[in-house]
Amino acid sequence: MTDASALPGQPRGQVLSGPATERAVNVLAPNASAMTLDGTNTWIVAEPGSEAAVVIDPGPLDDGHLATVVDMAEKAGKRIALTLLTHGHPDHAAGAARFAELTGTRVRALDPALRLGDEGLAAGDVITVGGLELRVVPTPGHTADSLCFHLPADRAVLTGDTILGRGTTVVAHPDGRLGDYLDSLRRLRSLTVDDGVHTVLPGHGPVLEDAQGAVEFYLAHRAHRLAQVETAVEDGYRSPAEVVAHVYADVDRSLWPAAELSVRAQLDYLSEHGLIQPM
């Protein structure tokens, strides 16, 4: 059995519903799959002693899960005052409108199409609810609308799909772009170096205790895959499907369609930087 402390980011262990930090509680959605890992982590975040809470990523449109989120907040003496989205993929956001009905909350997101209410989210926004402070960190790359939320009081960052608790994420081409994603990882690295962030509260998978180690692993992994894709093209593998079969031969074939999205993003990046001929 592998020691979790030796794994990238030092994952905490089994993914469970319950407290993760002093201010953040996870409610695990029942939508486990190869792509969603154990399921979507819906986060309830609140300042200790406050009656107001923020929910980040209500998750899929599953009335049972949404009711559980409300129930867990109420049992902790919290009223859900605001809903936030890290991005618009259905496993994070499909339940947001229904959740807003259940709680009477606004939904704030970067993408105007996902918002319920007048306020969106933008780089540099600071959200304060019941004494809680969350800082909006733009992290495009997985998708164009991806955001993270810095929780300074817990020295933590809620990362959606930008960093997962296990494995690596997909650059969802064409909406996601590799150059943007690399910039976003560097932005998160600066949070670990300059702002003391040490905990990753991901959208899927376990909590990570070593945020800087996780970011460094992701950057190294992307550099390695990019070099593999460039070499594959030089060796005559031309189509994205051919590159996937060659480079991702060690990956479960059920994940190849997702891997092809990342490969397309990598091919675009290499072409834009003049490292390969446009395909």
Side-chain angles (χ1 to χ4, degrees), residues 75-262:
K75 284 181 177 177
K78 308 293 184 185
R79 171 185 57 83
I80 297 168
L82 180 65
T83 301
L84 304 175
L85 297 177
T86 61
H87 66 297
H89 278 168
D91 55 316
H92 294 257
R98 175 59 177 152
F99 190 71
E101 291 179 3
L102 293 173
T103 59
T105 60
R106 295 166 294 141
V107 177
R108 294 180 64 179
L110 180 61
D111 184 350
L114 299 171
R115 300 172 190 168
L116 291 174
D118 296 331
E119 289 186 283
L121 293 170
D125 282 353
V126 178
I127 299 161
T128 55
V129 174
L132 177 77
E133 179 182 298
L134 289 167
R135 300 175 184 172
V136 177
V137 182
T139 50
H142 169 66
T143 61
D145 70 329
S146 287
L147 299 170
C148 292
F149 297 99
H150 178 200
L151 179 56
D154 283 349
R155 297 172 63 193
V157 60
L158 297 107
T159 55
D161 282 353
T162 299
I163 292 179
L164 305 178
R166 186 172 65 250
T168 56
T169 199
V170 172
V171 179
H173 180 276
D175 183 45
R177 297 179 59 81
L178 181 59
D180 291 342
Y181 186 63
L182 295 174
D183 288 343
S184 293
L185 290 176
R186 297 182 188 108
R187 192 170 296 118
L188 290 175
R189 181 170 57 186
S190 74
L191 285 182
T192 71
V193 174
D194 301 331
D195 295 279
V197 167
H198 62 68
T199 302
V200 173
L201 305 175
H204 303 280
V207 171
L208 300 178
E209 304 283 7
D210 177 16
Q212 186 172 353
V215 175
E216 296 291 358
F217 169 75
Y218 266 63
L219 285 166
H221 171 79
R222 284 296 165 196
H224 177 64
R225 283 298 195 205
L226 195 61
Q228 286 182 307
V229 170
E230 184 178 4
T231 299
V233 173
E234 291 172 352
D235 290 344
Y237 297 92
R238 302 302 299 169
S239 73
E242 290 173 341
V243 173
V244 169
H246 179 68
V247 172
Y248 290 79
D250 60 335
V251 173
D252 187 326
R253 290 178 69 96
S254 69
L255 298 176
W256 281 13
E260 185 170 326
L261 297 178
S262 286

Side-chain angles (χ1 to χ4, degrees), residues 8-21:
Q10 297 182 17
R12 187 171 291 177
Q14 188 176 3
V15 183
L16 297 171
S17 294
T21 67

